[in-house]
Amino acid sequence: MNRAYLKDIFRTIKKNAKRFLAILAITALGLTAFTGITAACRDLYRAADRFYDQQRLFDVRVLSTLGLTDEDVEAIHAVTGVETASGAYSETVHLDVNGQRQSAEMVMLSEQGLNRPWIEDGSMPEKAGEIAVTRKYLEASGKALGDTLTIEEDLNEDDDADEDAADADAPEGSAEPEPEREPEPEPDEPAEEPDASDDDDDGLNTDIDWDAEVEIEEEPETPTFKSTTYTITAMVVDPLDISNNEGTSAFRSTATTDFTFFVTPADVDTEVYTAVYLTLEGLSGLDCYSAAYEDAVNTAIGLIESNIMAQRQQARYDSVMGEALEIITDAEDTMNEKFTEADEQFSDAWADVEEAKRELADGEAELTAEERDALQKLADARAELEDGKAKLRDGEAELDKGEAKLNSQAKAAEKTFAEKQAGLDTARAELSAGVQQLQGILGEHWPEAEWNALVETAAGVAAGLLAATPDIDSTALAQQVGAAVAATQQMADFSAALGMAAGMAGYPGDIAELVASAAEAGIGLGVLDGSQQVLDAGKQTFNKQIAAARKKISDGRAEIAEGWRSLAEGEAELDAEEQKALRELRDAWQELAEGKQELAEGEAELIENEEKYQEKKTEAEEKLADAYAELDDIDMAQWYVQDRGSLDSYSSLDTDLASIGAIGKAFPVLFLVVALLVSLTTMSRLVEEERGLIGTYKALGFGSFAIAWKYLVYALLASLLGGGGRATCSASSLCPSCSSSFSRPST
């Protein structure tokens, strides 16, 4: 009976093989989806855990709104359970990629080997100037290993751009930390210095250092990265961002920069870290997605938050506030010094203005007096010159008059001399005729010597008389000469000699009369000779006097000519001095006018500078007040202690795999429900089709359970065969679609 029963069951399966296979296939498909997806998710979890362990991904990281220092790193490392603590720095930079400006996150490699990138090709940077990049950058730029790239740091970007690096790290729903932000109020634009000369001609100085800028910046911002050009040495995968941009998880990527680069600590110049990464003791053997791992991490986070966080937050806040306050107070002291110096300079400048006004007024008065004196001196010199000219003209007229008088006197004297000479010549001729007659009478007995002595004596007496009395007439002269000569020996000698000569010659007449006539003739000739001597002497004296007078007139004319020449030179010199004086006066007045203009301009400029200075002073005071207000607005340093779940790629992988696992659980239920419905439909139709056979079974004594068991065996056998076989097959391999969604390194 049992054998026939079993044979009937197999006959039913064979007869309804398609239905049997349909139930088997649906059951196998449901179990395949369940076992395959579940196994794939578990394998991906293990692969990710191995990858994170191999790359030494952090267990905990600490961010701070005011940045982190080496003291913070040491304090964190001292917390119980912390194995390694490493300060990290990252910054957003920009670079040109095929003509487009792209952003990149520049990451400093950890000296302790934390968060070590996975090398796809090449070797990690080992010295300054070397850089590791991602495949995405190489594909976008077309570069290869060994090529160079050039970056530019965002030293003057807007605040929003400066916060980009913190956006990706900030925990969801929390304030966005700015790890390296210091209170640095932007300084005003440098004020334009006043354009004024150091020292004007009038003594005014408007070159005043009135720039009251308040510099509250700790120090000029310098580039963090020592190099801007790097050599590519490796193509890597960032362990903090394992999202496959070409795979099924790319749609979950939330990266804020286009690329990620890695450089050595030798290329980074900073004392403030953007984050501190930690690894914990004893967690390397735990699955990072397990509850035990999460409990250990949460315990470490709790210790950090309870033991050191408040203390280090306060210490960092005090440090930042102290530095900022020192900067502001230094700026305030500098500002006050500038205010004091500028006020003193303005005071000195206004004193210079007043002094310049006084000097200009004094200079104008002095110039007016000098101009008056100079013009008076020029007028006096001109009048003196005219007086000199008048005197010279008078001298010339006097000389002309004297010369005319002299010429007239010379002519009159020459006429007188001529008349006298003519009278003398006539008288001489008459006397000479009588003497010659006497000489003819006496012949050789004529007493020549006595005659000459008598004539000479008479001439001397006559000359003496004429010299004593120039105006004596000829008759009186002859009488006086005759009387004088008669008393002389020469007269007696001549008379005796003449009488003897007459006797010897046999003069027939009266000898006494002859002697008297001859003596009278001799005296007459002597008078004529004396007169001639006096006349010749008078002519000579007159000629000398005329020559002296003419020389005097000539000297006078030469002196007048020299006077005219001197006057001409003096007039020329006076004209030159007058032109020079007028030019100097004109230049002095022009200089005075320029001085007044410069003083007016300097005073206006000083007023303008003082107004600008007051504006700058107000701005500086407002800026200082704003700096103090901003200092008051600085919040307490806020730490964010995060686990790996703060990484988008880490949490995305967990979420994605959890979603896939949920799908792996939902699909088998769906398939099993379908298999159940198919089985129910198949069993219902079998029962309907074999209702006669069921009656036969009843007649043969089979109970309801035995009859129902036949159909249960049919359905259970199809399900067990389908489910058991596919479960064994699926457990031995990954789901192809899941295995391609996560690229892991080969180990």
Side-chain angles (χ1 to χ4, degrees), residues 598-616:
E598 290 178 1
L599 177 61
E601 292 176 356
E603 188 173 6
E605 183 178 10
L606 185 59
I607 293 173
E608 181 181 358
N609 288 343
E610 192 169 24
E611 291 175 354
K612 290 181 179 179
Y613 165 69
Q614 292 299 331
E615 292 177 1
K616 283 294 181 182

Side-chain angles (χ1 to χ4, degrees), residues 200-434:
D200 297 332
D201 292 338
D202 54 7
L204 176 60
N205 179 16
T206 59
D207 188 8
I208 297 173
D209 184 14
W210 49 268
D211 183 7
E213 292 295 330
V214 179
E215 299 293 342
I216 312 179
E217 201 167 356
E218 181 177 359
E219 59 183 7
E221 190 173 2
T222 56
T224 303
F225 299 104
K226 298 179 180 179
S227 301
T228 56
T229 301
Y230 297 87
T231 301
I232 302 173
T233 62
M235 179 177 67
V236 299
V237 173
D238 183 6
L240 275 66
D241 183 13
I242 59 172
S243 298
N244 184 358
N245 294 321
E246 298 179 352
T248 58
S249 62
F251 75 96
R252 296 294 300 273
S253 178
T254 59
T256 58
T257 54
D258 299 304
F259 312 108
T260 303
F261 299 153
F262 298 90
V263 295
T264 63
D267 273 314
V268 182
D269 183 13
T270 182
E271 295 180 356
V272 179
Y273 301 117
T274 57
V276 175
Y277 293 105
L278 318 177
T279 58
L280 304 179
E281 297 175 351
L283 299 188
S284 59
L286 296 179
D287 185 352
C288 62
Y289 289 101
S290 66
Y293 175 82
E294 293 179 357
D295 291 340
V297 170
N298 290 332
T299 299
I301 291 175
L303 290 174
I304 293 173
E305 292 178 342
S306 61
N307 292 344
I308 67 169
M309 185 171 73
Q311 176 186 357
R312 295 312 307 166
Q313 287 178 163
Q314 185 65 46
R316 182 58 179 162
Y317 175 78
D318 292 342
S319 175
V320 171
M321 288 292 289
E323 293 175 1
L325 183 60
E326 182 179 0
I327 294 170
I328 294 175
T329 53
D330 289 344
E332 184 175 16
D333 293 339
T334 302
M335 181 189 71
N336 290 331
E337 290 177 1
K338 288 185 177 182
F339 285 166
T340 302
E341 182 179 356
D343 290 337
E344 291 177 354
Q345 290 180 346
F346 275 112
S347 177
D348 293 341
W350 281 117
D352 291 342
V353 168
E354 296 302 322
E355 179 65 23
K357 287 181 178 179
R358 288 192 297 272
E359 290 180 358
L360 284 175
D362 295 342
E364 186 173 11
E366 183 178 354
L367 183 58
T368 302
E370 289 179 356
E371 182 180 27
R372 183 176 61 252
D373 294 342
L375 294 177
Q376 183 62 42
K377 288 180 180 180
L378 289 173
D380 294 342
R382 186 71 66 182
E384 185 177 354
L385 185 65
E386 294 300 327
D387 291 342
K389 289 182 178 180
K391 289 180 179 180
L392 287 176
R393 284 192 292 268
D394 293 343
E396 286 180 339
E398 187 176 353
L399 285 175
D400 291 340
K401 183 179 178 181
E403 188 175 16
K405 182 179 179 181
L406 181 63
N407 291 332
S408 177
Q409 289 177 350
K411 289 180 179 180
E414 288 177 356
K415 182 179 180 181
T416 301
F417 285 140
E419 290 176 351
K420 289 183 176 183
Q421 186 67 46
L424 290 175
D425 291 341
T426 300
R428 185 180 296 277
E430 292 177 354
L431 288 175
S432 294

Side-chain angles (χ1 to χ4, degrees), residues 70-79 82 308 311-312 639:
D70 289 329
E71 290 78 6
D72 296 325
V73 175
E74 294 175 0
I76 294 172
H77 189 267
V79 174
V82 175
I308 67 169
Q311 176 186 357
R312 295 312 307 166
W639 276 23

